[in-house]
Structure formats: structure tokens, C-alpha cells
Amino acid sequence: MKPGEPMEEQEGSIEEFLRKRTEIEQTIRDKFQREITVMFTDIASSTQFYEIYGDITGRAMIQRHHDLLVPIIEQHGGKVLRSLGDGLMTVFESPPDGVRAAIAIQRLLAVENQDRKTSEQIWIRAAIHHGSGIVEKGDVYGDIINTVARLCAVTRKAEILVSQACVDLV
């Protein structure tokens, strides 16, 4: 458009499109958004482990981690959504189930590590958050994932960090 030329009329108004957007967002919320509990686990010091013992031994450690944790997660009604390299992203229907699973995992690892050489020990961080997420095709999206990832990043070896939102429901 050049200066002085009349503006062309566009079909529909921005208000109409914004109203449609609002309706679409509400439909998405109604269909896909729900309350869920998410737990991340992360193997402590795995980067150093890989550097010292190599890729194959590192990968074997991750497989052992999965073999130990997945049955406990499933026993507590959880589901593994994906492997996060050296950890897992899991979901639970209720905060107590997630917390019980995390406690059982940390207890199992403490027993498993007792008679092992340092190089064979697996220590994890676990973080749990409960909130609203977009649940679609066996996956979870939204700020709930960002929150639990931030919690996991500040959790120390052999600890479980539970968000206040989760604690309030436990």
C-alpha cells in the first residue's frame, strides 16, 4: 500500500477471528487439558560416568536404571512416557501414587547400591509436580513439564523434590 491510497477492506474482522480463536482454545482445553502428576528421574553424575567408563558401560547403566525403575513405576499406577537420555518422564493419575513410587525407587536403589562398587552404583534425582497439562496421544505438554524439569534440575543425588502443588494434594 502506498501513501495516500485507500486501505483495502479485508474479509472478516480481527474481532471475528479472535472470537473463533477463543472458541477453539476452549475446545482444546475441554478435550485435552486435565490434571496430572508428572515425575522426572535423572541419573546423578551420568556425564562423568560416561567420561570415565565409556559409552557402552554408560548405556548399560541406563538400561539397568530402566529395568529397576519401570516395574516400580507401573506397580504404583504410573506410566513411562519417554526416556530422557539418563532418566524417565512418567505420569501418574494421583500425587500420592507418584510420591509412593519415588520413595520406593529411592529405597530400592539404596539397597541395590549397598554392596556395589562405586562404579556400579546408580543414584537418581526424582522430581514430582501435579498440575494441568495437555494430554494427547500418550504424551503430556505444557508448563507442567517445564516446572517438573526445573525441579529436577535443582534436586540433589538420592533426593525427591515434590512441588507444593503436589504436597497440598498428598
Side-chain angles (χ1 to χ4, degrees), residues 54-69:
D55 292 343
I56 295 171
T57 304
R59 184 58 183 90
M61 175 190 55
I62 290 172
Q63 186 60 52
R64 196 166 125 245
H65 165 272
H66 292 10
D67 290 346
L68 290 168
L69 272 60

Side-chain angles (χ1 to χ4, degrees), residues 6-12:
M7 291 194 315
E8 293 181 28
E9 285 294 315
Q10 295 180 1
E11 208 172 300

Side-chain angles (χ1 to χ4, degrees), residues 49 53 57 61 64 116-121:
F49 187 92
Y53 300 103
T57 304
M61 175 190 55
R64 196 166 125 245
R116 292 188 180 270
K117 297 184 293 185
T118 302
S119 63
E120 296 175 351
Q121 294 179 358

Side-chain angles (χ1 to χ4, degrees), residues 36-37 92-100 128 130 165-167 169-170:
I36 195 156
T37 301
F92 297 85
E93 292 300 318
S94 75
D97 291 339
V99 171
R100 282 192 279 273
I128 307 169
H130 182 84
C166 196
V167 168
L169 295 169
V170 172

Side-chain angles (χ1 to χ4, degrees), residues 35-97:
E35 295 288 309
I36 195 156
T37 301
V38 178
M39 178 174 70
F40 277 17
T41 66
D42 179 61
I43 299 174
S45 304
S46 64
T47 302
Q48 293 90 342
F49 187 92
Y50 268 88
E51 289 171 356
I52 295 167
Y53 300 103
D55 292 343
I56 295 171
T57 304
R59 184 58 183 90
M61 175 190 55
I62 290 172
Q63 186 60 52
R64 196 166 125 245
H65 165 272
H66 292 10
D67 290 346
L68 290 168
L69 272 60
V70 171
I72 293 172
I73 291 162
E74 291 173 348
Q75 286 168 10
H76 289 86
K79 179 181 175 187
V80 176
L81 294 185
R82 69 173 68 110
S83 172
L84 302 171
D86 67 342
L88 297 172
M89 177 176 150
T90 62
V91 293
F92 297 85
E93 292 300 318
S94 75
D97 291 339

Side-chain angles (χ1 to χ4, degrees), residues 20-33:
K20 288 178 185 175
R21 176 184 173 185
T22 301
E23 291 171 20
I24 291 169
E25 286 178 358
Q26 186 60 49
T27 301
I28 291 170
R29 277 191 293 279
D30 293 345
K31 186 168 180 154
F32 298 103
Q33 196 165 31

